[in-house]
């Protein structure tokens, strides 16, 4: 067995069990939720285990250390990001029964793995049950997921329902199956969660899924919306949580590779070409390669919404906006004001010769400043000092940095 097999499901369970026994009494702060400080101890366990399991005894200790360090660093990152999401949105509470929807893809495997790790070190008590919906797709390997879940000792249900035939019958040829498939799957899982008494339904959508959904709605749906980290179903019977909301897809891909999850590809919608979501995902990957911080900035924007700066009349009451002006007069800072069609201005009731005040000479050219001084001397303007004397306050036009 090589060092790389250290991260297979079979061996990882041994490592996780060992690491879970390391001074867990110190991790009782809900402020940091499931934060662990014993990474060095975990790393030493991994190194020793990898050395013992090497077939020929010639594995490089340095190589083993690098492999272990790389894996643990990534696992720690995912664990903290999931912990922060759970904390920020109050996803899991004491006594919850969390139903983790497992499809056999990298996302749901990673979600289940990290939640099981957090469960062992959490300052609260909750239970986890894995649920898979076998939609009877042709060629679907029915034995892979149950074998994995049994090998890991994870409580689970496999629901068998032929939604494949239904989707194929209701979706016209050439159209995408995703919408119909997801609705059927969601309805089945929602009902089953209530049937077994699960209080939360955990889905494996990650940050990039949320961004892709945002742009799909923006480009094709005419709406500013995405997948929320936490959602109450329309019938108010279930609460959905997405603990991977802060996790990047590329980290999940690497984690699944290191853990060697038995990935089951989707041969229904995943095999279709020209999917709009696939096109959006390609766009996001290109952006991430060219501008590494762009996706993080977009996701931050989704958490920093300014309703008054958009145009949703239901979200913000534009009709009731009204002026609340005071008596202070703010004079135009400049050299001169030319008034045209003075008779028309007077008819409207507007001033024919509005006053100005001296523009800050620090930002003015010598020519403009001299011209301004001349205009002051001819009584066409009033100075800043005179303005200050009359009102008691220097009235300046505020500098505004527009957000583009």
């Amino acid at each position: 067995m090589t060092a790389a097999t250290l991260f297979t499901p079979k061996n990882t369970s041994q490592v996780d069990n060992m690491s879970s026994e390391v001074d867990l009494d110190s991790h009782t702060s809900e402020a940091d939720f499931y934060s662990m400080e014993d990474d060095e101890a975990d790393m030493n366990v991994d190194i020793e285990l990898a050395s013992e399991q090497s077939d020929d005894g010639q594995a490089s200790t340095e190589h083993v250390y690098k492999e272990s360090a790389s894996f643990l660093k990534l696992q720690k990152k995912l664990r903290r990001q999931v912990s922060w999401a759970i904390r920020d949105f109050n996803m899991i509470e004491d006594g919850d029964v969390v139903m983790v929807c497992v499809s056999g893809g990298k996302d749901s495997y990673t979600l289940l793995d990290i939640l099981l790790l957090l469960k062992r070190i959490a300052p609260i008590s909750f239970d986890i049950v894995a649920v898979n919906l076998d939609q009877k797709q042709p060629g679907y390997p029915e034995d892979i997921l149950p074998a994995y879940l049994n090998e890991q000792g994870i409580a689970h249900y496999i629901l068998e329902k032929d939604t494949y035939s239904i989707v194929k019958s209701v979706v016209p040829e050439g159209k995408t199956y995703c919408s119909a498939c997801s609705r059927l799957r969601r309805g089945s899982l929602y009902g089953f969660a209530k049937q077994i008494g699960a209080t939360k339904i955990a889905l494996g959508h990650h940050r990039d899924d949320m961004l892709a959904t945002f742009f799909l709605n923006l480009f094709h749906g005419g709406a500013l919306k995405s997948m929320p980290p936490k959602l109450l179903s329309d019938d108010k019977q279930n609460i959905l949580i997405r603990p991977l909301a802060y996790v990047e897809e590329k980290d999940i891909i690497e984690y699944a590779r290191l853990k060697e999850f038995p990935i089951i590809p989707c041969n229904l919608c995943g095999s279709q070409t020209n999917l709009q979501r696939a096109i959006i995902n390609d766009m996001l990957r290109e952006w991430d390669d060219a501008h590494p911080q762009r996706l993080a900035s977009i996701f931050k924007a989704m958490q920093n919404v300014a309703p008054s700066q958009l145009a949703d009349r239901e979200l913000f009451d534009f009709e009731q906006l009204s002026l609340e002006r005071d008596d202070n007069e703010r004079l135009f800072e400049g050299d001169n004001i030319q008034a045209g069609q003075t008779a028309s201005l007077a008819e409207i009731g507007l001033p024919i010769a509005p006053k100005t005040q001296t523009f800050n000479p620090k930002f003015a050219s010598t020519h403009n400043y001299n011209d301004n001084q001349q205009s002051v001397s001819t009584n066409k303007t009033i100075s800043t000092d005179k303005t200050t004397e009359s009102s008691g306050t220097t009235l300046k036009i505020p500098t505004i940095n527009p957000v583009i």
Side-chain angles (χ1 to χ4, degrees):
M1 184 176 296
T2 63
T5 59
L6 171 64
F7 307 118
T8 60
K10 182 177 180 179
N11 293 331
T12 303
S13 63
Q14 301 176 34
V15 177
D16 289 343
N17 289 336
M18 292 181 181
S19 63
S20 65
E21 297 173 0
V22 182
D23 190 22
L24 299 184
D25 292 336
S26 63
H27 310 298
T28 57
S29 172
E30 289 196 45
D32 196 27
F33 206 56
Y34 305 146
S35 178
M36 284 172 51
E37 302 298 336
D38 49 336
D39 296 300
E40 291 299 328
D42 288 346
M43 190 178 297
N44 291 335
V45 170
D46 279 347
I47 295 170
E48 292 173 4
L49 187 60
S51 298
E52 292 173 1
Q53 293 176 342
S54 177
D55 288 340
D56 53 12
Q58 297 177 354
S60 167
T61 303
E62 181 180 358
H63 173 71
V64 172
Y65 179 83
K66 287 181 178 179
E67 286 288 320
S68 301
S70 175
F71 171 76
L72 286 172
K73 182 179 180 180
L74 177 58
Q75 187 182 62
K76 178 180 179 181
K77 179 181 179 181
L78 298 185
R79 186 183 68 237
R80 287 188 171 179
Q81 288 175 331
V82 171
S83 298
W84 292 339
I86 292 173
R87 175 199 61 196
D88 290 350
F89 298 96
N90 192 30
M91 292 183 180
I92 299 178
E93 302 171 89
D94 192 48
D96 269 340
V97 177
V98 181
M99 187 180 95
V100 182
C101 299
V102 183
S103 65
K106 66 184 188 318
D107 304 332
S108 57
Y109 273 127
T110 299
L111 171 64
L112 179 62
D113 192 74
I114 296 298
L115 285 181
L116 287 170
L117 172 62
L118 294 179
K119 170 179 163 53
R120 289 195 292 271
I121 59 175
I124 60 175
S125 175
F126 63 93
D127 293 309
I128 291 176
V129 57
V131 175
N132 169 256
L133 178 60
D134 180 356
Q135 298 177 270
K136 298 304 177 182
Q137 299 175 22
Y140 179 78
E142 299 179 356
D143 59 318
I144 291 181
L145 196 52
Y148 171 80
L149 295 172
N150 285 321
E151 180 183 6
Q152 300 300 309
I154 300 171
H156 66 276
Y157 295 98
I158 305 296
L159 311 180
E160 299 183 21
K161 184 175 183 177
D162 187 5
T163 62
Y164 174 83
S165 298
I166 300 174
V167 171
K168 293 287 287 185
S169 66
V170 300
V171 177
E173 192 67 28
K175 298 294 184 179
T176 57
Y177 303 134
C178 298
S179 179
C181 178
S182 63
R183 284 198 302 271
L184 288 170
R185 184 172 62 249
R186 187 162 55 240
S188 298
L189 293 172
Y190 283 14
F192 187 69
K194 185 177 180 181
Q195 179 181 340
I196 64 174
T199 54
K200 301 287 172 58
I201 301 175
L203 305 177
H205 299 123
H206 46 70
R207 188 202 69 175
D208 294 5
D209 286 329
M210 297 167 69
L211 290 176
T213 301
F214 172 80
F215 282 106
L216 278 171
N217 284 309
L218 181 66
F219 294 161
H220 306 287
L224 283 176
K225 66 178 184 179
S226 179
M227 297 175 174
K230 186 178 181 180
L231 175 69
L232 179 65
S233 61
D234 292 340
D235 60 5
K236 297 181 172 50
Q237 301 298 303
N238 289 287
I239 293 180
L240 279 69
I241 59 174
R242 295 182 170 96
L244 299 180
Y246 293 164
V247 179
E248 300 175 58
E249 183 178 30
K250 59 187 178 184
D251 288 336
I252 294 177
I253 293 173
E254 178 64 10
Y255 190 75
R257 184 189 70 82
L258 292 172
K259 294 282 288 189
E260 295 186 354
F261 293 132
I263 304 298
I264 303 174
C266 176
N267 296 319
L268 180 59
C269 57
S271 60
Q272 291 185 279
T273 58
N274 299 322
L275 293 175
Q276 290 298 333
R277 180 172 289 274
I279 295 173
I280 295 292
N281 286 334
D282 289 341
M283 179 191 75
L284 295 179
R285 279 190 285 269
E286 290 177 5
W287 283 358
D288 193 38
D289 291 339
H291 311 280
Q293 296 303 315
R294 176 173 291 182
L295 299 189
S297 179
I298 297 172
F299 187 75
K300 184 177 180 181
M302 292 169 57
Q303 301 174 280
N304 187 26
V305 179
S308 64
Q309 307 303 304
L310 298 173
D312 190 328
R313 291 175 294 162
E314 295 185 4
L315 196 61
F316 186 80
D317 190 357
F318 293 96
E319 294 183 7
Q320 298 302 316
L321 292 179
S322 60
L323 293 174
E324 296 182 6
R325 286 181 172 171
D326 52 33
D327 295 331
N328 291 329
E329 186 180 28
R330 189 172 72 188
L331 301 180
F332 171 69
E333 290 185 352
D335 302 328
N336 186 34
I337 298 176
Q338 296 185 34
Q341 299 295 318
T342 55
S344 297
L345 290 173
E347 184 178 351
I348 298 172
L350 301 179
I352 296 174
K355 297 178 181 180
T356 66
Q357 61 181 335
T358 304
F359 182 64
N360 191 335
K362 178 180 179 181
F363 302 105
S365 65
T366 304
H367 173 72
N368 290 337
Y369 179 61
N370 289 336
D371 288 346
N372 195 46
Q373 289 295 88
Q374 183 178 357
S375 67
V376 172
S377 65
T378 58
N379 294 324
K380 291 184 178 180
T381 61
I382 59 175
S383 67
T384 304
D385 293 338
K386 291 181 180 179
T387 303
T388 304
E389 291 174 4
S390 61
S391 65
T393 306
T394 301
L395 302 175
K396 299 291 185 181
I397 296 177
T399 300
I400 300 175
N401 293 323
V403 177
I404 301 177

